Amino acid sequence: MLFIRLINSWSAERSFEVELVRNDERVFNETYYDVPAYGSDRERTDDQNPSTHLLEPTWDEGPATFELRGRFVDQEDDDWQTVLPVDADGEYVGIDLQFWEQNILGGFYTFETESERETVREFIETELERQSDRDRYGSDP
């Protein structure tokens, strides 16, 4: 998996938790608080949408079995919802994890060639640099 981009696609500020399991081992778990609403009027550093955040990839990008889970922190029903990258039909994928009112959906991108993967790596590097110039997305309350 090459990247995971979190998007609060709802019209209100939200709090949610994200977990990534790679080859049956949890490699990422973090809670994000007060994520701006989609279309928020918060300041856009370098024209970045404040409701969108790219996770820094700390896992190996090569082929593996992944499960991406999310849940809402601010709801009584806090069951995990799972998005399986296997649904993307490729070994090198990127995922938009979209948090709506009650559902969590995955949008998948596949990158078949090394050239495509290199372009994605450049995108990730650029986005992470741009994000470093704004308030931390999902900081603890």
Side-chain angles (χ1 to χ4, degrees):
M1 180 175 323
L2 296 171
F3 70 84
I4 300 171
R5 185 168 44 188
L6 307 177
I7 303 169
N8 178 8
S9 296
W10 191 238
S11 59
E13 202 169 78
R14 302 300 299 272
S15 297
F16 45 79
E17 184 175 4
V18 176
E19 178 177 82
L20 178 64
V21 176
R22 182 181 191 276
N23 293 335
D24 297 322
E25 179 183 341
R26 186 170 73 177
V27 295
F28 182 86
N29 180 268
E30 191 158 349
T31 303
Y32 298 92
Y33 296 94
D34 304 325
V35 177
Y38 183 79
S40 171
D41 60 359
R42 281 199 194 173
E43 181 179 340
R44 291 175 169 244
T45 303
D46 291 330
D47 202 34
Q48 276 196 320
N49 186 335
S51 68
T52 301
H53 180 74
L54 186 73
L55 299 182
E56 184 166 358
T58 56
W59 53 86
D60 292 333
E61 72 175 37
T65 302
F66 287 98
E67 284 186 38
L68 183 57
R69 302 176 183 146
R71 67 178 170 183
F72 297 101
V73 174
D74 52 354
Q75 291 181 330
E76 287 184 26
D77 177 17
D78 63 354
D79 292 337
W80 289 99
Q81 295 181 41
T82 301
V83 172
L84 297 174
V86 71
D87 298 336
D89 191 33
E91 293 182 351
Y92 293 92
V93 300
I95 299 177
D96 281 346
L97 193 61
Q98 301 175 18
F99 291 81
W100 291 87
E101 180 182 20
Q102 300 290 325
N103 295 317
I104 301 170
L105 305 173
F108 302 100
Y109 308 90
T110 58
F111 305 97
E112 300 296 328
T113 67
E114 183 56 37
S115 175
E116 290 174 334
R117 291 190 288 274
E118 186 57 35
T119 299
V120 171
R121 290 181 195 109
E122 290 171 11
F123 161 77
I124 292 168
E125 185 178 316
T126 300
E127 286 297 290
L128 291 174
E129 178 65 30
R130 290 170 61 189
Q131 282 179 190
S132 70
D133 293 335
R134 70 176 187 195
D135 290 341
R136 186 185 179 298
Y137 176 99
S139 59
D140 291 333

